[in-house]
Amino acid sequence: MPAPELPPPQSSLPEAASHFGVHVLAEAAARARDVKAATGGPPPCTTSPPAPPALAAPPAAMPAPGAERGRILRGPTGLGTTSLRMILRDPLPTPPAAAAEGTAESGAGGGGEGKVIPGLYHHPIPEPDPVRVEEVSRRIKAWALDEVALYPEDWEEEFDGFSVGRYMVGCHPDAPSIDHLMIATRLMVAENAVDDCYCEDHGGSPIGLGERLLLAHTALDSLHTAAEYQPQWAKSLHADAPRRAYRSAMEYFVRAAGPSQADRLRHDMARLHLGYLAEAAWAQMDHVPEVWEYLAMRQFNNFRPCPTITDTVGGYELPADLHARPAMQKVIALAGNATTVVNDLYSYTKELDAPGRHLNLPVVISEREGLSDRDAYLKSVEIHNELMHDFETAAASLAADLPLPGVERFLRGVAAWVDGNHHWHQSNTYRYSLPDFW
């Protein structure tokens, strides 16, 4: 099936993304440089939050609930840190109490309303454009059924409940067209098919996972082998739903992406698969890792492939040398880490209700640091908040040090993905519900 025509890459923001207010970022970056020039010190946005207690040992006693919550809600402090959010996002007309107090926010993801985790540091977003959501949802279901035969009929409710159209529209508000949104949506569905069918709910197992992931990865990173065996490999790409989905989603992606964008996605998908293998090894050994080991695994088994393609979905390209800079890689890693802890927190009760033991951050902290379920969960919220503040500090510092339009736009795209990811988790009541810890 021929790929849809995509408009040529754009070097400036489309009208649909004007609400990101790049001029605000540029002004803030200029202010940071002025302060640096006047004081001889670093830009004000490089101020880091106070270092938390080491994770290796539990605290002697948890603070009272009110004190704990106040400590969680405190953001980064110091000169310039009040401008962190302004640099990455324009303020929304949502009352601050909605973010701080965890009030209910409406949403159609899975039906009904979902409450924000109390004390979770996040930024509310406008409800995703319903016209785009409906069209993306229609197209992705047609692709899943007609192009890759992704799931049997009895999985349809679960596929619909995932609300992937609403997810991707919320995460990519600067996408210039539905075709661009579909690039991310196919990849998201394909990645979840691999996770579900190879690792998790729908027949997944740690046994033999390495072989399955390796063969599936060749759908993303083509095999170049002896001519006699090439047809057998090509046939194998249609052998199961995950490989069919990977092959098709990647074909669409490379038609829209530049060579360096495609190669960076392959790299991040290899990171993802490495994380899957570490978690599978722990499952086979019935081993609960140390907290730091779990967080190391989560830097690989996380959402990183999603924000890293924000420029492709936006119809432009961040040059490879800028994307590969250590400071940019740190921003992307922190975004992936923070959003993945969001998943751990919102999926906590879902995983507890599933058969077997599912590792997530609260479970690992509880077992390794001897905390109650509630206290381990609250500490996980605090870790998430620290990662979010570190992400925003690193992004603001990079924007100030490298004030280029492409860098600024990419950083805004990553921040938008972080916010959209939280919104989808919080509002998808078909999949998620909160524990009764408050």
Side-chain angles (χ1 to χ4, degrees), residues 49 52-57 59 68 71-74 119-121 291-292 294-296 298 334 337-342 344-345 360-362 364-366 369 371 375-391:
L55 297 182
E68 172 70 11
R71 184 159 60 95
I72 289 173
L73 289 172
R74 284 199 300 271
L120 190 80
Y121 178 69
V291 177
W292 74 266
Y294 177 82
L295 290 170
R298 274 312 217 176
L334 285 167
N337 293 347
T339 53
T340 303
V341 175
V342 162
D344 275 11
L345 293 167
N360 56 53
L361 185 56
V364 173
I365 290 176
S366 178
E369 300 190 355
L371 300 183
D375 289 346
Y377 192 93
L378 291 178
K379 185 168 184 180
S380 299
V381 172
E382 186 176 2
I383 289 172
H384 163 270
N385 292 353
E386 180 189 340
L387 293 170
M388 275 288 289
H389 295 315
D390 287 349
F391 157 67

Side-chain angles (χ1 to χ4, degrees), residues 40 69 118 131 134 180 199 259 275 309 321 323 334 352 361 402 408:
R69 188 166 177 183
V131 176
E134 183 177 0
H180 287 85
C199 309
I309 65 169
D321 60 329
H323 183 270
L334 285 167
L352 287 184
L361 185 56
L402 202 63
E408 294 167 355

Side-chain angles (χ1 to χ4, degrees), residues 72-121:
I72 289 173
L73 289 172
R74 284 199 300 271
T77 60
L79 178 63
T81 53
T82 55
S83 67
L84 287 178
R85 181 177 173 184
M86 180 179 66
I87 287 179
L88 295 172
R89 311 164 177 86
D90 286 337
L92 296 171
T94 304
E101 297 301 325
T103 55
E105 296 179 19
S106 62
E113 294 184 341
K115 290 189 175 182
V116 175
I117 294 169
L120 190 80
Y121 178 69

Side-chain angles (χ1 to χ4, degrees), residues 57-341:
M62 293 293 288
E68 172 70 11
R69 188 166 177 183
R71 184 159 60 95
I72 289 173
L73 289 172
R74 284 199 300 271
T77 60
L79 178 63
T81 53
T82 55
S83 67
L84 287 178
R85 181 177 173 184
M86 180 179 66
I87 287 179
L88 295 172
R89 311 164 177 86
D90 286 337
L92 296 171
T94 304
E101 297 301 325
T103 55
E105 296 179 19
S106 62
E113 294 184 341
K115 290 189 175 182
V116 175
I117 294 169
L120 190 80
Y121 178 69
H122 75 288
H123 301 293
I125 67 167
E127 188 62 26
D129 179 353
V131 176
R132 284 191 159 198
V133 169
E134 183 177 0
E135 180 60 14
V136 172
S137 299
R138 183 190 68 78
R139 290 197 197 183
I140 193 60
K141 194 166 185 178
W143 174 79
L145 292 174
D146 301 335
E147 290 193 47
V148 298
L150 185 69
Y151 61 87
E153 186 176 338
D154 57 346
W155 291 9
E156 183 174 10
E157 180 184 348
E158 188 171 343
F159 184 87
D160 292 343
F162 192 81
S163 300
V164 67
R166 187 168 176 274
Y167 194 177
M168 293 297 96
V169 173
C171 285
H172 295 285
D174 73 335
S177 72
I178 299 294
D179 288 333
H180 287 85
L181 284 167
M182 286 300 299
I183 294 167
T185 309
R186 291 187 201 93
L187 285 167
M188 171 62 77
V189 170
E191 290 159 22
N192 275 274
V194 169
D195 191 23
D196 286 347
C197 297
Y198 285 1
C199 309
E200 298 281 355
D201 316 57
H202 298 299
S205 167
I207 300 171
L209 179 60
E211 178 192 23
R212 296 192 296 275
L213 287 177
L214 173 66
L215 296 179
H217 195 83
T218 67
L220 308 172
D221 197 347
S222 295
L223 179 65
H224 304 287
T225 190
E228 178 182 354
Y229 302 105
Q230 195 81 18
Q232 293 171 265
W233 164 73
K235 184 178 179 181
S236 77
L237 299 182
H238 301 267
D240 59 19
R243 278 184 273 186
R244 290 193 297 270
Y246 262 6
R247 178 198 58 79
S248 177
M250 193 65 181
E251 284 182 357
Y252 279 102
F253 180 79
V254 297
R255 292 175 201 175
S260 67
Q261 290 172 307
D263 199 54
R264 90 164 80 123
L265 175 62
R266 294 186 188 102
H267 186 187
D268 280 348
M269 292 301 293
R271 284 176 163 133
L272 175 68
H273 296 157
L274 183 62
Y276 286 169
L277 291 173
E279 191 169 14
W282 291 333
Q284 283 188 281
M285 296 185 293
D286 193 25
H287 172 70
V288 177
E290 297 288 349
V291 177
W292 74 266
E293 292 174 322
Y294 177 82
L295 290 170
M297 180 273 292
R298 274 312 217 176
Q299 181 159 309
F300 293 82
N301 178 4
N302 75 6
F303 288 113
R304 184 179 184 135
C306 302
T308 204
I309 65 169
T310 188
D311 55 339
T312 307
V313 181
Y316 67 102
E317 180 171 358
L318 180 70
D321 60 329
L322 297 179
H323 183 270
R325 286 188 173 224
M328 182 66 77
Q329 289 296 300
K330 179 180 179 180
V331 168
I332 297 170
L334 285 167
N337 293 347
T339 53
T340 303
V341 175

